[in-house]
Amino acid sequence: MRIGELAARTDVSVRSLRYYETQGLLSSSRSAGGQRHYTDAEVERVRFIQRLYAAGLSSRTIAELLPCVDAPSEVNSDAALERMAQERDRLSEHIAELVRTRTALDGLMATARAHRARCASLDGASTPRVPES
């Protein structure tokens, strides 16, 4: 299949697919006219790459993990496991930082609500009431 079809089947832009190739994440064969051609196996590979990107991995990290997918071996598996552990630790720290930020925002929201409630009660007490006729 050509690059446009791969893009359509994976919901990934042609530009992204070209980028994946320059990063060594994806490969294609070329026609005599220089057009890229992909097999059906590349559909799943692109989806896998997208899942890794969605998990926050960089193209460099993905490139480090792909040998385990392409040529499973003890050495490749050990290297991939070590790299994945590093990424998991990085993600865990990022999650912890997000939780700290959310907690700080919850505190700010509570302070803002309390301030609003105080202002509303003061406005109600200090506003003169107009007698009804």
Side-chain angles (χ1 to χ4, degrees):
M1 82 188 79
R2 291 179 39 191
I3 195 167
E5 184 180 347
L6 181 61
R9 288 179 60 183
T10 58
D11 199 29
V12 172
S13 71
V14 168
R15 183 177 181 197
S16 291
L17 294 174
R18 288 185 184 122
Y19 175 77
Y20 295 171
E21 279 201 51
T22 64
Q23 297 300 302
L25 307 178
L26 186 65
S27 61
S28 63
S29 59
R30 298 287 182 132
S31 69
Q35 293 180 328
R36 292 172 170 90
H37 288 276
Y38 301 93
T39 66
D40 287 336
E42 271 72 45
V43 172
E44 185 52 39
R45 185 177 185 92
V46 169
R47 289 180 180 149
F48 178 65
I49 292 167
Q50 284 291 290
R51 286 193 302 272
L52 294 175
Y53 272 124
L57 277 64
S58 68
S59 58
R60 181 188 311 177
T61 300
I62 294 169
E64 291 174 16
L65 297 177
L66 288 177
C68 185
V69 174
D70 297 335
S73 70
E74 190 172 336
V75 171
N76 286 343
S77 294
D78 288 347
L81 283 169
E82 177 61 31
R83 191 65 178 109
M84 286 185 279
Q86 291 170 357
E87 284 301 312
R88 187 177 192 290
D89 291 346
R90 184 188 63 79
L91 289 172
S92 293
E93 181 52 40
H94 185 64
I95 289 166
E97 183 61 32
L98 288 171
V99 169
R100 288 189 291 272
T101 302
R102 182 184 61 197
T103 300
L105 285 173
D106 287 345
L108 289 171
M109 291 169 68
T111 300
R113 285 187 185 111
H115 178 72
R116 260 182 109 196
R118 280 193 306 276
C119 289
S121 67
L122 291 175
D123 285 346
S126 63
T127 305
R129 296 185 72 161
V130 178
E132 292 182 19
S133 320

